[in-house]
């Protein structure tokens, strides 16, 4: 049905973006409101033929698609609330205490060095203290320190030092402190475990699915032979979960978490991957597409896949997750839940990779083993292959103010504000999405992404489109509402 542009009642319409999905039109606005309209309903809405007192008119009015219902002050306050992450400095501080690792993961984004490499790849106590000094200069009321690597347990003495001194600095500064450790668990032992629990460090590992998938992706070098990475992960996940009730009574409130990276070898095993997570007592998964950083870029032809391949995997997996939820097992997909939170509530969970502007230098900083500071972990990953484009300084040479006011921070901010980006500013999914300038830089040689050819954009649009479609299905919607505790 063609729309006569001369008949559109522009003076009656609130601002909105739209896209035809299947046989219907999805409309969204900056306040986060959305509605699906049949083609005739969309035409009638544009031409002023829908009465505000009708059932459909009431829905449109409630979500402020009529101009007369838009309260600019209320809209501005809501927008400000959703963007409140912009009113404080970097909260997330990724600390790479070593670039050495005893794994040779086929997709290693960090381009880690072997365990046999020189200890020059380890962070020294002096650099660790300088890094802490910079972290606590942030204007954010919270400091989140996330230990990464390499494998951070390779440099356990510095991990301990940072934990102990960060707690002292938090008391002096009055800042809320959160400590996180990302580990492959192969070097975990009882002493480390007890120390981490006592000091309330939340734990996350990598679990790529059942043994055959995990060990294919994540190759463990145990001395001179290949070890069983999967067994270490399972052992310590079971230990953390078994001890959780007694640890919770002591004030340790975090359950052990796991992250998955999807390689080409993972794609056929979507059911087995979810079953593995559920069997271990995990209650969520974050389906992350493979990034073209570090070693994965060099072996992409072997381990990579197309955007369409990942989209099909995501849809199959989400359908299966919804299916097991309908059977009474509450299990969440975190990427979906993040978008649902932005769609169905007034809150933005501030995922630094998927917000606008992104968190590079604004919401996070990454500290390499030698004290070099980067916009984010992706920027640090590029440095490991010789590209220092996203380096902001060094903890021993630059002040906090010099780092956070670096021109690269301002540039990446501009490059990730969706309201000013061609292909994003008028996209129906703009209120919920985000871009990564570093991904664009790696894949398209420009921090300002060319969205028609951008696979990350294709994936996010497809995921959001699928989520909106699922919201129209009553059973799926109830599952989603349960995830958000809205039922």
């Amino acid at each position: 049905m063609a729309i006569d542009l001369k008949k559109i009642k522009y003076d009656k319409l609130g601002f909105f973006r739209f896209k035809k999905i299947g046989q219907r039109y999805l409309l969204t606005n900056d306040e986060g409101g959305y509605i699906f309209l049949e083609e005739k309903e969309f035409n009638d809405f544009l031409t002023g033929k829908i009465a505000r007192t009708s059932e459909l008119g009431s829905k449109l009015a409630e979500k402020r698609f009529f101009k007369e219902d838009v309260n600019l002050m209320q809209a501005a306050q809501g927008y400000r609330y959703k963007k409140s992450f912009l009113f404080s400095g970097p909260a997330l501080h990724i600390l790479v205490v070593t670039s050495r690792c005893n794994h040779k993961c086929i997709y290693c984004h960090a381009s880690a060095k072997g365990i046999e490499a020189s200890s020059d790849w380890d962070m020294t106590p002096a650099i660790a203290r300088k890094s802490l000094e910079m972290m606590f200069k942030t204007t954010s009321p919270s400091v989140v320190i996330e230990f990464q690597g390499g494998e951070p347990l390779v440099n356990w003495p510095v991990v301990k030092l940072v934990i102990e001194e960060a707690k002292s600095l938090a008391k002096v500064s009055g800042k809320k402190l959160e400590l996180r450790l990302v580990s492959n668990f192969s070097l975990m032992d009882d002493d480390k475990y007890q120390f981490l629990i006592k000091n309330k460090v939340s734990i996350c590992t990598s679990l790529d699915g059942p043994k055959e998938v995990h060990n294919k992706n994540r190759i463990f070098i145990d001395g001179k032979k290949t070890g069983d990475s999967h067994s270490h992960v399972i052992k310590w996940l079971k230990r953390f979960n078994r001890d959780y009730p007694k640890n919770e009574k002591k004030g340790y409130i975090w359950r052990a978490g796991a992250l998955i990276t999807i390689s080409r070898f993972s794609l056929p095993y979507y059911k087995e991957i979810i079953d593995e997570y559920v069997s271990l007592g995990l209650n969520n998964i974050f389906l992350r597409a493979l990034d073209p950083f570090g070693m994965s870029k060099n072996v992409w032809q072997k381990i990579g896949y197309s955007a369409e391949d990942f989209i099909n995997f995501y849809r199959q997996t989400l359908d299966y997750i919804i299916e097991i939820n309908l059977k009474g097992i509450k299990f969440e997909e975190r990427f979906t839940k993040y978008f649902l939170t932005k769609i169905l509530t007034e809150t933005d969970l501030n995922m630094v990779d998927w917000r606008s502007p992104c968190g590079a230098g604004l919401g996070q900083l990454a500290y390499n083993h030698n004290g070099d500071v980067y916009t984010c972990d992706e920027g640090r990953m590029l440095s490991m292959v010789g590209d220092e484009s996203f380096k902001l300084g060094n903890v021993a040479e630059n002040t906090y103010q010099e780092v956070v006011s670096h021109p690269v921070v301002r540039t990446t901010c501009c490059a990730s504000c969706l309201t000013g980006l061609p292909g994003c500013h008028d996209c129906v999914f703009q209120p919920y999405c985000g871009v990564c300038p570093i991904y664009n830089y790696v894949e398209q040689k420009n921090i300002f992404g060319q969205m028609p050819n951008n696979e990350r954009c294709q994936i996010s649009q497809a995921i959001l489109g699928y989520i909106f479609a699922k919201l129209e299905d009553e059973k799926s919607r109830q599952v989603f509402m349960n995830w958000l505790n809205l039922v």
Side-chain angles (χ1 to χ4, degrees):
M1 181 183 295
I3 298 173
D4 186 346
L5 298 181
K6 294 181 180 178
K7 294 183 179 180
I8 296 177
K9 304 297 184 182
Y10 294 102
D11 59 328
K12 302 293 185 182
L13 304 176
F15 176 78
F16 65 91
R17 303 174 179 87
F18 68 94
K19 180 178 182 177
K20 192 171 186 181
I21 298 179
Q23 299 302 309
R24 298 190 299 166
Y25 287 88
L26 172 65
L27 282 63
T28 67
N29 57 33
D30 281 338
E31 293 183 70
Y34 81 92
I35 194 168
F36 276 100
L37 298 178
E38 301 292 342
E39 188 165 4
K40 183 179 184 306
E41 292 173 333
F42 184 51
N43 189 33
D44 288 347
F45 170 59
L46 294 178
T47 54
K49 296 179 182 178
I50 296 179
R52 293 182 73 261
T53 54
S54 67
E55 182 180 353
L56 179 57
S58 296
K59 290 180 180 178
L60 287 161
E62 179 187 355
K63 297 184 178 183
R64 299 180 183 85
F65 283 103
F66 289 118
K67 191 173 185 177
E68 65 182 282
D69 296 302
V70 177
N71 181 318
L72 288 180
M73 183 61 71
Q74 186 179 39
Q77 288 175 344
Y79 194 78
R80 186 183 190 279
Y81 175 72
K82 285 191 173 185
K83 300 293 183 181
S84 59
F85 52 75
L86 294 174
F87 298 96
S88 62
L92 174 60
H93 300 266
I94 296 173
L95 192 66
V96 178
V97 293
T98 181
S99 292
R100 296 192 293 152
C101 186
N102 56 1
H103 278 55
K104 296 287 185 183
C105 301
I106 59 175
Y107 48 67
C108 182
H109 294 134
S111 300
K113 308 302 175 184
I115 191 72
E116 73 285 349
S118 166
S119 60
D120 289 345
W121 292 99
D122 295 346
M123 180 175 283
T124 65
I127 292 296
R129 290 189 172 100
K130 280 287 186 181
S131 299
L132 279 170
E133 184 181 323
M134 182 170 287
M135 291 176 195
F136 279 88
K137 291 284 177 60
T138 181
T139 51
S140 169
S142 301
V143 173
V144 180
I145 302 176
E146 185 173 293
F147 297 99
Q148 290 199 22
E151 166 52 44
L153 296 186
V154 168
N155 195 5
W156 177 246
V158 166
V159 172
K160 285 186 66 177
L161 178 150
V162 170
I163 291 170
E164 292 167 346
E165 298 200 6
K167 292 176 71 175
S168 298
L169 287 168
K171 288 181 180 178
V172 172
S173 66
K175 294 184 184 296
K176 180 182 178 182
L177 176 65
E178 183 179 340
L179 297 163
R180 303 172 182 171
L181 176 74
V182 181
S183 169
N184 61 40
F185 284 167
S186 61
L187 298 175
M188 185 68 73
D189 57 35
D190 194 64
D191 286 343
K192 296 184 182 73
Y193 169 82
Q194 297 296 345
F195 179 87
L196 294 168
I197 296 296
K198 178 182 177 182
N199 286 280
K200 297 181 173 55
V201 181
S202 64
I203 307 295
C204 186
T205 190
S206 292
L207 178 60
D208 284 358
K211 183 175 181 178
E212 59 270 26
V213 179
H214 182 92
N215 285 348
K216 179 87 171 179
N217 285 346
R218 300 182 58 78
I219 302 167
F220 172 35
I221 307 301
D222 188 5
K224 295 184 178 180
K225 64 181 188 298
T226 300
D228 183 1
S229 173
H230 184 263
S231 65
H232 290 281
V233 171
I234 300 306
K235 171 186 174 181
W236 286 102
L237 277 177
K238 287 181 176 179
R239 171 74 181 273
F240 276 104
N241 285 331
R242 185 193 73 201
D243 292 352
Y244 177 74
K246 69 177 183 182
N247 289 335
E248 186 181 24
K249 292 178 181 178
K250 298 176 184 177
Y252 187 87
I253 61 174
W254 302 274
R255 291 186 177 274
L259 289 173
I260 184 170
T261 301
I262 309 299
S263 77
R264 177 182 297 176
F265 309 120
S266 312
L267 299 178
Y269 297 98
Y270 67 94
K271 284 187 177 180
E272 292 84 353
I273 288 168
I274 300 305
D275 290 344
E276 179 84 350
Y277 270 62
V278 172
S279 71
L280 290 168
L282 298 167
N283 60 11
N284 67 77
I285 194 169
F286 186 0
L287 298 176
R288 302 184 299 165
L290 194 62
D291 283 322
F293 303 135
M295 291 171 61
S296 67
K297 183 73 172 176
N298 299 329
V299 293
W300 192 262
Q301 292 302 314
K302 178 182 178 182
I303 67 171
Y305 39 76
S306 67
E308 191 59 38
D309 287 336
F310 180 79
I311 291 164
N312 289 335
F313 171 83
Y314 169 84
R315 288 171 176 163
Q316 290 176 312
T317 310
L318 183 60
D319 285 349
Y320 185 58
I321 290 172
I322 291 171
E323 179 185 324
I324 65 174
N325 273 266
L326 292 172
K327 293 178 179 178
I329 300 171
K330 186 175 181 180
F331 186 86
E332 302 171 352
E333 200 290 298
R334 285 167 52 195
F335 202 14
T336 305
K337 185 178 180 180
Y338 169 72
F339 284 134
L340 285 168
T341 302
K342 297 180 82 169
I343 293 168
L344 297 177
T345 77
E346 300 300 314
T347 302
D348 188 323
L349 294 176
N350 189 19
M351 187 185 293
V352 290
D353 297 341
W354 289 91
R355 72 181 210 190
S356 173
C358 76
L362 300 175
Q364 67 171 312
L365 292 171
Y367 305 76
N368 212 356
H369 68 277
N370 60 357
D372 286 343
V373 187
Y374 297 86
T375 53
C376 50
D377 205 33
E378 289 77 8
R380 181 194 67 86
M381 290 173 188
L382 283 188
S383 78
M384 297 299 288
V385 293
D387 190 332
E388 298 285 5
S389 298
F390 298 92
K391 179 179 173 180
L392 306 178
N394 185 282
V395 295
E397 300 168 6
N398 299 96
T399 66
Y400 169 79
Q401 190 62 38
E402 288 172 337
V403 165
V404 296
S405 62
H406 195 283
V408 170
V409 175
R410 297 195 293 271
T411 305
T412 53
C413 176
C414 291
S416 59
C417 286
L418 301 187
T419 50
L421 298 181
C424 294
H425 78 284
D426 57 351
C427 176
V428 70
F429 301 123
Q430 194 251 73
Y432 320 108
C433 202
V435 300
C436 175
I438 299 178
Y439 173 92
N440 297 337
Y441 173 81
V442 171
E443 285 293 274
Q444 300 184 312
K445 312 306 177 188
N446 193 326
I447 60 173
F448 293 89
Q450 308 304 307
M451 293 308 157
N453 305 313
N454 190 296
E455 289 205 341
R456 191 177 191 266
C457 175
Q458 292 168 26
I459 289 172
S460 60
Q461 286 205 48
I463 288 175
L464 279 160
Y466 202 60
I467 291 171
F468 274 106
K470 287 294 182 183
L471 281 169
E472 295 298 288
D473 172 70
E474 187 56 36
K475 289 184 177 180
S476 299
R477 185 181 181 87
Q478 285 303 309
V479 169
F480 292 161
M481 298 290 277
N482 188 39
W483 289 0
L484 301 182
N485 297 315
L486 295 177
V487 291

